[in-house]
Amino acid sequence: MAPEIGGPSLEERQIIYAHLEMNDHSIQQVENMIRGSGTRSVGKGALTNVRVRHNSRKNGAVRVVESHTCELVFAYELELDEDVIGYYVQVPMHRVRRLNKNGALHLSSAHVDFLVLRKTSIELVECKQAQYFERENLSGSVDWTLGPGGWTHLPYAEWAAERQLEFRVWISPRVSGIYLQNLELCYEVLKRIPDEREHSAMEKVRARTASKPASLQELAEEVPEFSESMAAWMIADGRAYGTWKSVSVSDPKFILYQDKEQAEIADRTLCEKAAESFAALSIRDPLLIASATDLCRARQRLARLQAIEEGLLPTTARMAQLARKVQRAVASGQTALSASLTSYAKCGNRTSRLLPEQEQAIETVMSRLWNTGKITRPLDLFHELELECRRLGVEPCGRSRLDLRRRSESPTRHALRSGGLRAYQAVRPLSDPRTRSQRPVGFGQVLHIDSSDLDVRCAPNLIALLPASKAKLYIGIDGATGLPMAHSLIFGPARTDGLALLMREYVARHHKLPAMIHLDRGPENTSGWLEEFCEGRISVRYSPTAGSAWNGLAENAIKQVNFQVAHRMPGSTAPDQMGRQVDGKYKSARTARMPFLRVADAVREFLYEELPKVPDSQGRTPNDKREEAFSLHGHVGTPCELNDDLLIQTSLPIPLRKRDNPLKGIRTAEGWFTSEELLDALRSHKPTQLRSDCGNPTVLYVQIGRRWIKAFHSRVQSAALLSPDERLHDHLSEPIRRSEARRRRSELSRSKHLSRSRLAEAAKTNTEVSSSEPPSITDESSGSDRALNGRCRPGASADFGGVRAFEEREDY
């Protein structure tokens, strides 16, 4: 088994090949696809896809899928399918024969979403959403065809058949939010090992549902020790079935079945019922779509009919015809007012008043200039329309007509071409709630992490060379309850230290790791350290580029911290954000006098004491949601303790630069780190890995062979008396102090160099003067002249080449 791709071993795969009686060519093709799995980078330019690094327990490795509402749903199905031995993602297919639109043969390469190894078959699977076949015009496609078994891709199917493989197209459910929610919960609950009491309760439930299906509420009354978490475990393990595509497993109305086919029929019925409620409106009553003019006229006609019946007005043929129409409408169940409606709203222009050349000019400037982003101002677009109309020999139309056409176009295309992904996300419409993914139901299942500047400038420390600076806040919010789970504060730009500190804080508070974390695509969030730390225990979900809406829980929490805490402190940067509207004496650089420890205490108090008590629109606080979620499923994360293993794993690796010395230890940017154990090991071995503790600047972890050794800085004794916040502040502000020290040393070195240059130039000048006209020293000469002549006497050497800058010395 290749460790980088995981999955079944070669021996297990050979058993499948022998069972299918595959030839050597087909086996070689499958092996090539397995080796090429995951080499294609997915979801990089996706606009709305949430890319997921799925921690696959069945494969024992990571599987990167490009959409959490399509490919991830299918991956969960494979994880819970007992017939599946393993699967691979984004496998390459070479020399796929296609037909162009002109009928010519074309050979190309492609990547299919999944290669699935089952006990009795091997299949290639392409995953698509149901909306894809409705949105794309595939009627004239030579690749996609709709047959009795559903949609298929002919070139892929033929390529697979030639190699003794199966091919199918998997279409995600139209409403997949509830289904994905249940799949995530079942997958995480399955890693638990039930005890004897839970096994006994589940056996009672199996015996009860064997005779008749029952809801969770009924089962809880008959078997008090049975819980929703056990129901999810039974479904994940295949011991029971339910309507998990349409009803949440945490819902008391969720029904458990022992017959799989019966559960699928009930689930399909509920999905169809939900689809009916999601369907578009079908208006039959004309009153609902009547214009105000037609409605007013209908009331007048109805009042006239009533006056004719009372004998107040004479009858006419047209009104008699209207009276018969009203009588027929009332007899069929309609209202008299709807039968009296006029059709004035249908009057008006049937065709455009513009000339064909003017319509052509509008479409030309829209497609070539506006949608491509070459022009960004509407006025400039109108000027181009005038030029295009004159080129076609017609008078240009008015600007209002062009603006109407421009507003009818989706703004996302123009924003993407003119401003990139961030501009696209700014104007992107909200996703349809009918197809939107749902929040997780398990506490600790998904942790939303985000970082941003804390809008308060801490007081400067002149002794420590630390200027007034802003801290960066990393925060982790539980996806099910909105409860703050952990946080960290760092100085300087966003970097991996913040994530490492946050994970330590999470384990220290909850003694578990989250099952999944949700991040943006910042460089520190896609680092190699995070992938190494999460491998085998945490799945990672990435928002689209600039898609802050997908991580709204963490974004809103940071906004609350800034608004409720940072903006109310001295040194707030809120006046800085107002620019020239505020005088300089009110800016944060002038008002910063709050020390870092006070700021850290205020942020901690707000996050863990005040924010969990804030109710939402339904009156429920994060604490209330936590109690409810914890009572249903407990903490669904992975158990973990804050021990030496985690300290080393959350310490960041630093490069080896041959700075080990068996007499002194190991030198880094912070200085020398040493210990007796380290010096003993360095006499016979070389270090293979260095890790700097993210929270304690005086500790360095060194790997020598298969051992990990602790090394300490000379400041370890003084740092041991500091509080954790003080030690953290000292560590995180170290880069700023080093930068300030480098700047000062550079200024000092520059000053020394200029001084030496002036002395050398003066010595050279005096030497030249002395060689031509030796000066006579008289008593009238000043003391300074005598000193200068004494230092720069003829024949004296003025060589400064041996002088070396202070920072270039070996002992520096």
Side-chain angles (χ1 to χ4, degrees), residues 633-653:
H633 308 289
H635 195 300
V636 299
T638 304
C640 185
E641 295 296 333
L642 188 60
N643 49 25
D644 290 340
D645 296 345
L646 185 70
L647 292 179
I648 294 176
Q649 292 168 357
T650 53
S651 297
L652 305 182

Side-chain angles (χ1 to χ4, degrees), residues 363 366 401-411:
E363 295 300 326
M366 285 296 299
R401 181 64 182 83
L402 178 63
D403 291 342
L404 182 64
R405 174 65 180 87
R406 180 176 52 81
R407 286 192 294 267
S408 66
E409 194 81 14
S410 175

Side-chain angles (χ1 to χ4, degrees), residues 519-538:
L519 303 156
D520 58 27
R521 300 192 184 186
E524 77 278 11
N525 299 333
T526 55
S527 63
W529 172 85
L530 183 63
E531 294 181 1
E532 178 187 352
F533 178 78
C534 295
E535 187 172 358
R537 50 186 174 184
I538 302 176

Side-chain angles (χ1 to χ4, degrees), residues 493-506:
R495 56 188 189 273
T496 316
D497 299 76
L499 284 176
L501 289 167
L502 187 139
M503 299 312 298
R504 281 191 185 181
E505 176 80 6
Y506 188 96

Side-chain angles (χ1 to χ4, degrees), residues 642-774:
L642 188 60
N643 49 25
D644 290 340
D645 296 345
L646 185 70
L647 292 179
I648 294 176
Q649 292 168 357
T650 53
S651 297
L652 305 182
I654 58 178
L656 287 169
R657 294 179 179 174
K658 297 182 180 180
R659 293 178 174 175
D660 56 295
N661 189 319
L663 299 178
K664 296 183 178 181
I666 294 179
R667 184 178 181 180
T668 67
E670 286 79 11
W672 286 98
F673 288 81
T674 186
S675 65
E676 293 182 1
E677 298 85 353
L678 178 63
L679 296 180
D680 292 340
L682 287 178
R683 293 189 183 99
S684 56
H685 298 84
K686 290 288 185 180
T688 57
Q689 189 177 173
L690 302 179
R691 287 180 176 262
S692 176
D693 194 289
C694 63
N696 190 349
T698 64
V699 176
L700 181 71
Y701 300 99
V702 185
Q703 185 182 20
I704 299 180
R706 301 181 61 183
R707 295 174 55 198
W708 280 96
I709 300 175
K710 231 177 183 182
F712 303 94
H713 195 270
S714 59
R715 296 185 291 111
V716 62
Q717 297 186 29
S718 59
L721 302 178
L722 300 177
S723 65
D725 284 342
E726 290 174 333
R727 191 184 303 117
L728 179 62
H729 176 261
D730 182 56
H731 178 42
L732 296 178
S733 58
E734 185 68 25
I736 301 177
R737 291 198 296 268
R738 286 202 303 267
S739 176
E740 181 68 15
R742 283 195 301 268
R743 185 186 65 81
R744 293 193 176 190
R745 286 197 300 267
S746 177
E747 291 179 355
L748 182 60
S749 175
R750 186 182 299 107
S751 176
K752 289 181 178 180
H753 173 73
L754 293 177
S755 177
R756 290 194 297 265
S757 299
R758 286 194 295 267
L759 288 175
E761 186 66 26
K764 182 179 178 182
T765 304
N766 283 276
T767 301
E768 294 176 354
V769 172
S770 299
S771 60
S772 59
E773 295 181 4

Side-chain angles (χ1 to χ4, degrees), residues 350-367 385 388-389 392 394-397 401-402 404-405 408:
R350 297 292 185 270
T351 59
S352 174
R353 295 185 178 184
L354 298 181
L355 298 174
E357 291 81 2
Q358 293 173 329
E359 293 281 359
Q360 178 184 348
I362 291 177
E363 295 300 326
T364 299
V365 297
M366 285 296 299
S367 60
L385 176 64
E388 183 67 18
C389 288
L392 296 176
V394 294
E395 287 292 326
C397 61
R401 181 64 182 83
L402 178 63
L404 182 64
R405 174 65 180 87
S408 66

Side-chain angles (χ1 to χ4, degrees), residues 777-793:
I777 303 176
T778 61
D779 294 337
E780 288 80 9
S781 301
S782 64
S784 60
D785 293 336
R786 289 196 299 270
L788 179 60
N789 294 335
R791 287 197 305 267
C792 302
R793 61 183 181 273

